Amino acid sequence: MTRYIVGRIIQAVVVLWAAFTLTFAILYLLPSDPMELQLAAAGIQEDSLAPDQLAAMKQRFGLDQSIWAQYWHHLTGVLHGDFGTSLSQQIPVSDLIGQRIGQTLLLSAAAATVSLVAGSLLAYLATFARWNPLRVFLTRLPALGASFPQFFVALFLIQFFSFQLGWFPALGTEGIQSLVMPVVTISVLTSSVLAQVLIKSFDETLRQPYIVTARAKGLSRSAVHLKHAFRNAALPAMTILGVLVGLTVTSSIVVETVFTREGVGKLAQEAVLAQDVPVVLAVVTIAATMFVLVNLVVDLLYPLLDPRISHTRGRVRPATPEVVTT
Amino acid sequence: MTLVDIKGLDVGYVRHRRVTPAVLGLDLTVAAGEVVAIVGESGSGKTTTANALIGLLPANGRITAGSAVVDGIQTAGASERTLRRLRGSVVGLIPQDPMVGLNPTQRVGHQIAEAVKLRGLAGAAVQAEVLEHLAQAGVPDPELRARQYPHELSGGLRQRALIAIALAGRPKLIIADEPTSALDVTVQKRILDHLGGLVHEQGISLLIITHDLAVAADRADRVVVMQHGRKVEEGDPATILRTPREHYTRQLIAAARPVVPHFDVRDQVAPEPILQLTDVSKTFPVNDLRRGARGFNALDKVSVTVPRGQTHALVGESGCGKTTTLRIALGLETATGGSVVLDGDEISGLSWNRLRPLRRKAQLVHQDPFATLDPKFTVAQSVTEPLVSFRIGDRRSRLQRARELLDQVALPHSYLDRLPSELSGGQRQRVAIARALALRPDLIMLDEPVSALDVLVQEQILQLLADLQAALGLSYLFVSHDLSVVAEIAHTVSVMSHGRVVEQGPVAEVFTNPKSAHTRELIDAIPGRRVVDAA
Amino acid sequence: MTVTIADVVTEDAPRPAEEAGGRRANLVANLVQLARKPVFLLATLYVLFVIVSAFRPKLFTSFGPYDTYPESAAQAPSAQHLFGTDIYGRDLWTRVLYGSPLTIKATLIAVGIALVVGLGLGILAGFFGGLIDAVLMRIIDVLLAIPGLLLALSIVTALGYGTIPVAVAVGVAIIPGFARTTRAEVLRVKTLPYVEAARAGGASWGRVLLRHILPNSWGPVAVLAVLDAGVAIIAIASLSFLGFGAAPPAAEWGTLIADGRNYLVTAWWLSLLPGVFVALLVLGLNHISKTLQELTR
């Protein structure tokens, strides 16, 4: 048991380190000239600098060091919560993120909660609705929700609920009112993803022979569904929680941009536009950490919820259902 | 008093807006306390009948005509509410496959308690009844078992837990749908005996659904034979067995052969061996995080000899190591120790390339007819594939050979272009045999080649194998769990248990005069006493 | 032989004795089955229409994408201007059609990258197993740990803006799905009896891989490719919406929608109609993929 937990934690740390390294490699090793990128981010033309100025700049951004030295510097920095200095805003990245992360966490948490409830509810209704046309409609609904680009959903909501009806503000971060449409925008996608996985899982579960056993006992329809089908269907779907949380985080990039909310997502968008490499690296690292943490928690909880899985065997949990999202 | 009264029942399945009939004009009664068996092959409508009785047809199943009255209540066209009052309390069901019949995430006791509570009981009385039903179903140590999850129980215990669930509703009728086909014969026998005793004691009616006429004849007061959705014959077992009216029933009786060895090689000098396994052992590594890596002994010094031109059978229950032995003999698995000599050549430890030329001498026919052929290959491609692998002949000569092979397995030439999805199970098995014959091997390894087929088709394939052996002088290594099949086809036999050979010798000797307790138990467990008595 | 052909034929009564067996009949039967599904036909027609319009936009419009008619600026949708006109008086329907080539090209590149790399990794991992499998799958785990859009953003940061970098970025982000699906399929097929029978018949692993494992594994991968084309379209549109796509005046769909958002109050169609156009395409691909999945099951 302890051995399993420790092993799983070490595995998570290794994945996290590898993800950081990969991102670092992409950002620092791909064929663009880092100096040029960084000067552009700082708003300086490379030609306008004298050679000694250039050298000074290089030193300031640490670019005179070897790539290994830079990597080591960044890695040790991250471990101490230091993500370097933003190139475009000239202030520590950790400060920039610290100011904005609250907004994004609030948005992500709200969206994750809403989509968990909405997705499960939709899946339940789609599986157990008695009226056939309604069931078909509800089963198809998630595909529709996942087909609309998020920025489109956001613009549609703004057009309809802000401009036509005037119920919610179109922009800004003030008050709970401003949170409604961003949360709905994200949840349309994430609850659709969850509902698709759950509907498929319900479908497979209801075909299992033990459902026939339960019905043959004389249990009512709802008792069969709630006591036998729901738990067995929900267990495999649990493994996509990590993906869902990752999705709410990436969704915040588009959503915060459209609704002009000062969060980490909008920061990421601005950082990419300004090619502010340290900020991008920091945001990716934080998102990967969240994903890995949620997965770790699911992995540690799963054996407690599914009696078939024991800590002492090699197999830990069923494979994550394939979810197609970016 | 009549408990079940079915009159003119038609049941069909809706596919593509058309109703495909599954049961046609069925009349059937079950009296209180009576044991009735419905016998038929797959697709005969026997399971559909049982499901229709308690309204558990699949979503596309429809009762299109007739009536089915259970305990005075009409179930054809009845509402879900009416049916629910019947389920459990009037009719209990023991489903087909015990391995998947229990909810994997609920404790066994809880699942039985659910059925008990439906009778209105509550509190401590429920737990007491749960333990009582488990004990009645023959589960040892019920307190412990009730707390366990299904995956912690063996197949036989799960079957007993399912029986306990069926008993828990205090039903008047229990439907047992193929109650034993997923279990080993010895477990099968014990459970059927127990179930028979229980219903007799408690005066419960029993409806057994089975493909095995021998099982039906042994245990039923009345046997109903179904074919293609219709009842073809009905009567008490003795009459049906002695004086069957229908051709189909006669075929079934012939197929429910008693264990009478077909060949007797007791006094003959054994031909020289084509395959000889000596002291073959196999250890599978088992990864156990807590105890570290350790070995699991799948085979322990197994020695087996296949005489040239004859059939040697490996029999035993699941997990006894018979399939592993066959795979080692074929070089698909490497032995941990011992030697394998094929036609004078030592093959154990040979690399794939060194082994390859020897492959032409020994070929394989697999158990599962639905996975043995590549779904994307036509029959011609499947049959000629070994020729292509060994670069034998050109296109035309291969096609010519494919025609010959189809002749040998008695399939028409027009089947050359067919895909496996267009063939029946028996036909697929014929194609698999043709493929094994392509390289003109001396030895064919048969891994349960008929166990997934209906009895009559089994009979045809066994006949084909015997004919091929006579015509081509083939040797077979035949793996099976079914002693009656072995008796029919094999000359010599090795009985295996827990990775060891417990008894070996000519079939006529081993089956008529078993030396080991395990062999005796296997033979005793074979259903069909009444078939033998009637013969 | 004692078994006659008559015996064999009676052996399987319920199976219809088709005159024409074999591959072609199977294919025809499948196509007929598909043709009977109206929604599937509609989805296929729409996807085909978008692809054709991407290469030959002139077939479907008489305007040029940069023709400005100041006198008809910001007109609501009408028979003459299906999607209305933008503030410079350019026909929006034409702009959307001329936006197709960029997005379709990017999508094909993205799916192509994911397909080639994912398929390669999946086959390697599934076929060889052991250490190779363990290492490759850990790499995939790491790729999965970085949420897709962020991985794409990192790549765009490093490569710069434009259609190609965006396509590459999205392609890399959807590699893991392909690799895992391929691996799972290869693993499943590898243990099937017919593979074993082929091996016992003397076939080399190379032959088994090419003739048995790949043809029987690619179905779910193809289904995923169609589905992921839709996902890639959304991702590419999102990236160009965020401002990382092609430079103006060329307009990908995402850019068109982004430009229109400043006029939501006065000219709602500028954003919403191109959005519906994109969503229908994704929905169509989604439906095609689902139907194919049911067919291959």
Side-chain angles (χ1 to χ4, degrees):
Chain A
M1 183 73 189
T2 15
R3 203 186 150 127
Y4 166 79
I5 294 176
V6 171
R8 198 57 200 76
I9 290 173
I10 291 174
Q11 201 186 332
V13 171
V14 170
V15 167
L16 207 51
W17 164 78
F20 172 81
T21 307
L22 177 71
T23 316
F24 182 87
I26 291 172
L27 290 171
Y28 284 80
L29 292 180
L30 278 179
S32 46
D33 174 16
M35 190 63 214
E36 202 178 311
L37 276 184
Q38 312 222 347
L39 285 175
I44 304 169
Q45 290 282 316
E46 194 170 353
D47 308 347
S48 67
L49 291 173
D52 57 327
Q53 279 178 305
L54 201 63
M57 292 294 293
K58 279 197 173 189
Q59 194 187 5
R60 196 175 133 209
F61 292 130
L63 289 172
D64 53 340
Q65 298 168 22
S66 74
I67 190 73
W68 294 109
Q70 290 183 50
Y71 171 67
W72 184 246
H73 180 75
H74 269 281
L75 186 63
T76 47
V78 167
L79 291 177
H80 295 98
D82 172 14
F83 291 96
T85 307
S86 160
L87 300 169
S88 55
Q89 306 201 24
Q90 314 292 331
I91 50 173
V93 176
S94 42
D95 289 357
L96 262 181
I97 289 177
Q99 289 160 17
R100 294 160 171 241
I101 198 157
Q103 275 297 333
T104 305
L105 283 182
L106 180 65
L107 179 63
S108 285
T113 314
V114 169
S115 44
L116 218 56
V117 174
S120 313
L121 207 64
L122 178 58
Y124 187 80
L125 292 176
T127 313
F128 302 124
R130 281 171 193 243
W131 191 43
N132 206 36
L134 177 66
R135 197 168 56 227
V136 172
F137 170 74
L138 289 173
T139 313
R140 300 270 161 83
L141 203 55
L144 197 69
S147 294
F148 283 94
Q150 281 185 311
F151 54 86
F152 173 79
V153 175
L155 291 177
F156 177 81
L157 290 177
I158 292 177
Q159 163 70 16
F160 197 71
F161 290 101
S162 298
F163 296 158
Q164 304 273 325
L165 299 173
W167 288 1
F168 303 106
L171 331 152
T173 38
E174 266 145 57
I176 205 86
Q177 291 264 312
S178 72
L179 202 59
V180 175
M181 292 204 300
V183 166
V184 170
T185 305
I186 297 179
S187 305
V188 166
L189 175 67
T190 45
S191 58
S192 297
V193 170
L194 178 65
Q196 276 177 323
V197 172
L198 272 177
I199 288 174
K200 204 170 159 218
S201 187
F202 272 131
D203 200 41
E204 277 161 22
T205 307
L206 284 176
R207 270 188 253 142
Q208 298 300 314
Y210 58 78
I211 296 296
V212 176
T213 309
R215 290 182 69 196
K217 278 179 205 172
L219 287 177
S220 67
R221 192 177 138 92
S222 56
V224 171
H225 292 160
L226 290 173
K227 291 185 185 161
H228 292 274
F230 197 84
R231 183 169 178 194
N232 285 299
L235 275 174
M238 249 185 77
T239 55
I240 68 152
L241 281 183
V243 175
L244 277 188
V245 169
L247 212 54
T248 56
V249 175
T250 52
S251 300
S252 69
I253 300 171
V254 171
V255 168
E256 288 179 355
T257 306
V258 179
F259 290 102
T260 338
R261 298 172 63 85
E262 295 299 324
V264 175
K266 184 144 177 292
L267 179 67
Q269 191 255 352
E270 289 162 358
V272 177
L273 269 184
Q275 297 191 296
D276 196 338
V277 173
V279 176
V280 176
L281 181 60
V283 173
V284 174
T285 308
I286 290 170
T289 310
M290 282 178 68
F291 175 84
V292 169
L293 274 182
V294 173
N295 261 343
L296 180 65
V297 171
V298 170
D299 267 2
L300 293 182
L301 284 183
Y302 202 93
L304 300 179
L305 299 172
D306 188 339
R308 282 165 297 182
I309 312 295
S310 81
H311 286 305
T312 50
R313 295 282 154 80
R315 234 174 80 97
V316 172
R317 63 170 201 193
T320 307
E322 207 53 62
V323 180
V324 188
T325 47
T326 49
Chain B
M1 192 211 131
T2 315
L3 189 63
V4 176
D5 191 6
I6 298 178
K7 276 204 180 71
L9 188 71
D10 284 5
V11 188
Y13 292 103
V14 184
R15 282 194 196 97
H16 305 301
R17 293 188 194 145
R18 261 186 307 183
V19 179
T20 318
V23 173
L24 283 167
L26 182 75
D27 297 325
L28 178 76
T29 58
V30 180
E34 193 184 20
V35 178
V36 176
I38 303 183
V39 187
E41 297 182 69
S42 49
S44 63
K46 55 189 195 302
T47 298
T48 304
T49 307
N51 288 340
L53 263 185
I54 41 173
L56 286 180
L57 286 171
N60 63 340
R62 304 269 183 281
I63 294 180
T64 47
S67 83
V69 178
V70 179
D71 198 28
I73 296 167
Q74 175 63 260
T75 63
S79 70
E80 179 72 12
R81 185 166 300 190
T82 316
L83 289 166
R84 220 171 73 210
R85 258 182 271 132
L86 276 179
R87 290 182 203 139
S89 56
V90 179
V91 186
L93 176 76
I94 303 174
Q96 231 170 60
D97 188 349
M99 302 312 281
V100 289
L102 290 164
N103 184 344
T105 57
Q106 267 186 13
R107 291 174 204 277
V108 172
H110 185 88
Q111 298 188 47
I112 301 167
E114 260 186 349
V116 175
K117 282 183 198 154
L118 281 172
R119 298 206 328 261
L121 269 74
V126 175
Q127 187 57 20
E129 271 227 10
V130 166
L131 298 180
E132 187 196 323
H133 290 305
L134 274 172
Q136 276 179 355
V139 175
D141 203 354
E143 282 93 352
L144 169 69
R145 300 305 179 193
R147 279 197 309 273
Q148 284 181 317
Y149 287 99
H151 70 275
E152 296 170 295
L153 305 185
S154 68
L157 280 179
R158 290 188 215 186
Q159 181 71 286
R160 288 176 192 273
L162 285 165
I163 292 176
I165 290 177
L167 289 174
R170 298 259 162 91
K172 297 178 182 169
L173 168 72
I174 290 182
I175 298 176
D177 188 0
E178 298 278 8
T180 53
S181 54
L183 300 173
D184 283 330
V185 273
T186 51
V187 184
Q188 231 180 71
K189 178 177 153 51
R190 265 179 252 134
I191 287 181
L192 278 179
D193 285 348
H194 191 83
L195 184 62
L198 265 181
V199 293
H200 186 72
E201 257 168 47
Q202 307 194 3
I204 303 173
S205 307
L206 181 62
L207 183 62
I208 302 176
I209 311 289
T210 179
H211 65 280
D212 192 338
L213 183 63
V215 166
D218 278 356
R219 304 180 185 278
D221 302 324
R222 194 149 48 85
V223 174
V224 174
V225 181
M226 286 185 74
Q227 185 191 20
H228 303 329
R230 293 178 194 279
K231 179 168 79 178
V232 293
E233 188 150 3
E234 180 174 6
D236 70 287
T239 320
I240 285 210
L241 289 175
R242 239 177 250 117
T243 52
R245 279 181 289 117
E246 298 292 320
H247 174 64
Y248 181 72
T249 318
R250 272 196 290 279
Q251 278 182 307
L252 281 183
I253 295 170
R257 56 216 157 240
V259 186
V260 179
H262 188 264
F263 298 105
D264 189 348
V265 291
R266 267 180 290 195
D267 305 321
Q268 297 168 16
V269 182
E272 56 170 303
I274 177 139
L275 176 75
Q276 193 155 25
L277 277 72
T278 316
D279 289 344
V280 170
S281 298
K282 173 79 184 173
T283 311
F284 285 111
V286 176
N287 278 325
D288 190 321
L289 283 180
R290 190 159 38 185
R291 274 166 283 185
R294 69 199 167 98
F296 161 68
N297 271 337
L299 292 183
D300 190 7
K301 301 209 165 173
V302 168
S303 299
V304 168
T305 305
V306 182
R308 190 179 287 276
Q310 294 190 350
T311 303
H312 184 79
L314 293 176
V315 293
E317 308 199 311
S318 48
C320 72
K322 53 190 193 300
T323 295
T324 309
T325 310
L326 175 129
R327 291 171 59 86
I328 287 173
L330 206 56
L332 289 171
E333 199 99 58
T334 46
T336 330
S339 90
V340 180
V341 177
L342 173 65
D343 203 16
D345 294 307
E346 171 67 50
I347 64 163
S348 61
L350 282 190
S351 69
W352 173 257
N353 284 334
R354 300 275 303 283
L355 190 58
R356 199 161 169 260
L358 296 173
R359 292 227 169 266
R360 301 185 57 168
K361 292 182 183 168
Q363 288 293 309
L364 167 73
V365 173
H366 196 274
Q367 167 178 17
D368 181 359
F370 291 91
T372 192
L373 301 176
D374 187 326
K376 294 242 182 321
F377 271 36
T378 62
V379 169
Q381 281 176 311
S382 281
V383 167
T384 55
E385 191 186 21
L387 302 176
V388 178
S389 297
F390 277 99
R391 300 176 202 285
I392 296 169
D394 56 14
R395 260 190 113 122
R396 280 185 55 195
S397 72
R398 281 179 204 147
L399 195 62
Q400 182 51 39
R401 178 81 180 124
R403 291 210 182 87
E404 279 171 39
L405 288 166
L406 286 203
D407 285 338
Q408 284 182 336
V409 298
L411 283 175
H413 291 177
S414 63
Y415 277 41
L416 281 174
D417 286 334
R418 292 210 170 183
L419 290 172
S421 56
E422 299 168 300
L423 304 176
S424 69
Q427 288 169 340
R428 286 176 209 214
Q429 223 44 341
R430 282 173 195 267
V431 175
I433 293 172
R435 176 175 59 191
L437 290 173
L439 292 168
R440 305 179 200 277
D442 301 310
L443 172 66
I444 297 185
M445 317 245 186
L446 302 151
D447 186 4
E448 304 257 13
V450 296
S451 60
L453 303 174
D454 280 331
V455 274
L456 295 184
V457 183
Q458 277 191 16
E459 204 59 19
Q460 291 172 6
I461 298 288
L462 289 176
Q463 187 59 50
L464 173 69
L465 288 171
D467 292 341
L468 287 171
Q469 185 166 52
L472 305 173
L474 292 169
S475 318
Y476 295 140
L477 178 61
F478 191 101
V479 166
S480 181
H481 69 281
D482 187 339
L483 269 69
S484 53
V485 169
V486 168
E488 185 165 331
I489 193 158
H491 299 77
T492 52
V493 62
S494 300
V495 182
M496 294 186 69
S497 173
H498 297 111
R500 291 163 197 261
V501 173
V502 294
E503 190 161 0
Q504 217 160 29
V507 171
E509 172 70 24
V510 172
F511 280 17
T512 49
N513 189 14
K515 299 263 180 323
S516 87
H518 184 73
T519 315
R520 217 169 299 130
E521 197 184 357
L522 280 178
I523 291 171
D524 285 345
I526 299 170
R529 272 164 317 200
R530 288 193 189 166
V531 181
V532 182
D533 296 343
Chain C
M1 292 285 98
T2 50
V3 182
T4 63
I5 288 166
D7 274 350
V8 180
V9 177
T10 53
E11 172 183 308
D12 57 327
R15 210 160 287 270
E18 277 156 295
E19 297 296 319
R23 285 231 180 83
R24 189 171 296 168
N26 208 26
L27 187 68
V28 169
N30 279 345
L31 286 179
V32 167
Q33 209 182 329
L34 282 180
R36 284 202 191 123
K37 296 177 189 290
V39 183
F40 175 81
L41 276 184
L42 217 62
T44 315
L45 281 178
Y46 183 70
V47 172
L48 282 179
F49 158 71
V50 175
I51 293 174
V52 171
S53 75
F55 293 99
R56 287 280 145 78
K58 283 206 176 70
L59 286 177
F60 303 100
T61 173
S62 51
F63 299 98
Y66 308 124
D67 299 350
T68 53
Y69 301 95
E71 70 280 5
S72 59
Q75 283 187 352
S78 62
Q80 196 191 4
H81 299 285
L82 274 179
F83 278 17
T85 58
D86 69 6
I87 49 153
Y88 305 110
R90 295 179 293 197
D91 179 54
L92 189 60
W93 171 247
T94 311
R95 304 261 303 153
V96 169
L97 288 187
Y98 278 85
S100 303
L102 286 173
T103 314
I104 296 289
K105 208 194 300 167
T107 308
L108 290 179
I109 293 174
V111 175
I113 289 174
L115 202 57
V116 170
V117 180
L119 212 59
L121 289 179
I123 290 170
L124 279 178
F127 192 69
F128 291 103
L131 190 64
I132 296 179
D133 182 27
V135 171
L136 288 180
M137 282 303 112
R138 289 298 82 75
I139 294 176
I140 295 297
D141 279 352
V142 172
L143 274 181
L144 278 173
I146 308 173
L149 193 61
L150 277 170
L151 183 60
L153 281 185
S154 314
I155 295 172
V156 169
T157 310
L159 290 182
Y161 311 144
T163 309
I164 303 292
V166 163
V168 172
V170 171
V172 171
I174 55 179
I175 284 176
F178 279 95
R180 291 176 90 184
T181 308
T182 312
R183 171 177 175 270
E185 278 302 301
V186 170
L187 278 181
R188 179 183 68 82
V189 176
K190 204 174 101 177
T191 56
L192 287 178
Y194 59 80
V195 169
E196 197 154 83
R199 287 289 283 165
S204 61
W205 270 126
R207 183 183 157 76
V208 167
L209 179 66
L210 285 179
R211 296 303 312 268
H212 293 287
I213 296 182
L214 286 188
N216 286 296
S217 316
W218 78 273
V221 182
V223 168
L224 184 65
V226 176
L227 193 64
D228 265 357
V231 172
I233 288 171
I234 290 188
I236 290 163
S238 298
L239 287 174
S240 57
F241 176 84
L242 290 173
F244 311 135
E252 284 163 316
W253 294 333
T255 325
L256 278 177
I257 298 169
D259 290 348
R261 62 191 262 232
N262 298 324
Y263 310 101
L264 267 183
V265 186
T266 49
W268 54 268
W269 57 90
L270 288 181
S271 264
L272 297 192
L273 286 182
V276 171
F277 186 85
V278 176
L280 279 179
L281 181 62
V282 176
L283 198 62
L285 288 167
N286 219 320
H287 188 81
I288 293 174
S289 143
K290 224 170 225 156
T291 314
L292 291 178
Q293 191 182 13
E294 279 161 20
L295 193 72
T296 51
R297 206 186 283 154

